[in-house]
Amino acid sequence: MSDLLSSLRRTQHQDATSETPVMRRMLIGTALGFLVLVLLAPLAVVFVEGLRSGLTSYWTALTEPDALAAIRLTLTVAAIAVPLNLVFGVAAAWAIAKFHFKFKSLLVTLIDLPFSVSPVVSGLIYVLIFGAQGLFGPWFSVHGIQVIFAIPGIVIASMFVTFPFVARELIPLMQEQGAGEEEAALTLGASGWQMFCTVTLPNIKWALLYGVLLSNARAMGEFGAVSVVSGHIRGLTNTIPLHVEILYNEYNFVAAFAVASLLALLAILTLALKSLLEWRYSDALAAGRRH
């Protein structure tokens, strides 16, 4: 009798949670249609428009001096902001996952702040703080340091919009792993640095890499905050997104889409690398989550 009741319950559960073939096709078709309409079609348009006048015009748009300056600046900003956010993300995740302290929930909330604050607003805040008439602007001017309308301001703005990514990848994993292995390593005589390199880092390396990839992609593609603090100085403080905007406003559509395609290629490369790592090291990732 009990076996019969269990069988009936399983049948009822399957009926309640399974869908008909028609419904399954509708759901898959809706998801694919949405992806094509919102993601793939615009992406294809970027490359089609960029190549509309041929490869020569495409290459010219990417290699003219202002475009090269924008590319160099974008890579420079990412090369500075991402490592700094990596250090902050590891430190914040370590503190939140391994220790109990006052205002811990406030720190977690502050980490999520860039997700809720408009990048334009954050850029304006930095102008009020570091601008010529800002809170610290006069002091920086006296000492010959320019933050706003210069690379330091762009780096700071990029750090603000990207710093949650590394921490948010690490916190859940480190909380799940606990502090047992670190405590064992310390008991066996390992120093703090040895414990981090031989125990903590191997357990979080894939989540750390994911966070770095996401942070790097956002840093190179950020527009709002950088637009406010950069001053749009052509050839000096324009990143790739700002250069695309200028070209588009000048009705130089072929060049605008050509440079935009470079950003699209960087995004595709980031996604491909992330997918490759997930496929190549899926067992290691699963083991790290179970650990």
Side-chain angles (χ1 to χ4, degrees):
M1 185 66 178
S2 60
D3 293 340
L4 178 60
L5 290 175
S6 298
S7 178
L8 288 173
R9 291 193 188 98
R10 285 196 299 269
T11 302
Q12 291 173 352
H13 177 74
Q14 291 173 357
D15 292 340
T17 57
S18 61
E19 62 280 339
T20 64
V22 174
M23 179 60 69
R24 189 181 300 112
R25 294 190 190 96
M26 289 179 59
L27 292 173
I28 295 174
T30 301
L32 291 176
F34 182 84
L35 289 175
V36 170
L37 180 64
V38 177
L39 296 178
L40 297 182
L43 190 63
V45 168
V46 169
F47 288 97
V48 170
E49 292 296 327
L51 294 168
R52 180 179 294 276
S53 298
L55 289 174
T56 301
S57 298
Y58 182 87
W59 182 251
T60 301
L62 293 180
T63 56
E64 60 98 10
D66 289 341
L68 291 176
I71 293 170
R72 284 194 296 268
L73 179 59
T74 301
L75 296 177
T76 300
V77 170
I80 298 172
V82 173
L84 291 176
N85 280 334
L86 185 151
V87 174
F88 167 80
V90 172
W94 182 287
I96 292 170
K98 307 296 182 179
F99 303 104
H100 297 283
F101 55 92
K102 196 175 182 180
F103 305 122
K104 180 177 178 179
S105 59
L106 177 61
L107 177 58
V108 176
T109 301
L110 291 176
I111 290 174
D112 292 334
L113 188 63
F115 291 139
S116 57
V117 174
S118 168
V120 175
V121 173
S122 67
L124 289 173
I125 291 173
Y126 287 124
V127 171
L128 293 176
I129 295 176
F130 298 110
Q133 306 300 322
L135 185 62
F136 300 114
W139 185 90
F140 282 109
S141 297
V142 169
H143 291 81
I145 302 173
Q146 185 174 358
V147 178
I148 302 301
F149 305 153
I151 293 179
I154 299 174
V155 171
I156 293 172
S158 299
M159 287 179 59
F160 177 84
V161 299
T162 58
F163 82 80
F165 291 101
V166 174
R168 268 299 162 200
E169 286 291 329
L170 294 181
I171 290 172
L173 178 61
M174 296 180 73
Q175 286 177 330
E176 183 181 351
Q177 290 174 349
E181 288 201 3
E182 283 86 353
E183 293 172 354
L186 292 174
T187 302
L188 293 173
S191 65
W193 182 248
Q194 289 174 327
M195 175 195 66
F196 176 78
C197 292
T198 60
V199 178
T200 304
L201 187 59
N203 289 336
I204 66 172
K205 58 184 177 181
W206 302 120
L208 183 63
L209 183 56
Y210 286 171
V212 169
L213 286 174
L214 294 173
S215 182
N216 183 70
R218 180 63 191 275
M220 290 191 294
E222 174 56 28
F223 177 83
V226 172
S227 177
V228 175
V229 302
S230 70
H232 290 263
I233 304 174
R234 197 162 187 164
L236 292 177
T237 63
N238 273 344
T239 58
I240 296 177
L242 301 184
H243 186 61
V244 171
E245 183 200 27
I246 287 178
L247 293 173
Y248 190 83
N249 289 338
E250 293 176 347
Y251 302 101
N252 191 352
F253 298 127
V254 172
F257 281 106
V259 178
S261 70
L262 181 61
L263 275 180
L265 285 173
L266 291 172
I268 293 173
L269 179 62
T270 300
L271 180 62
L273 181 57
K274 182 176 182 295
S275 299
L276 177 63
L277 290 172
E278 288 177 339
W279 170 76
R280 178 65 178 80
Y281 300 103
S282 57
D283 294 338
L285 285 167
R289 293 189 179 99
R290 290 194 304 267
H291 190 68

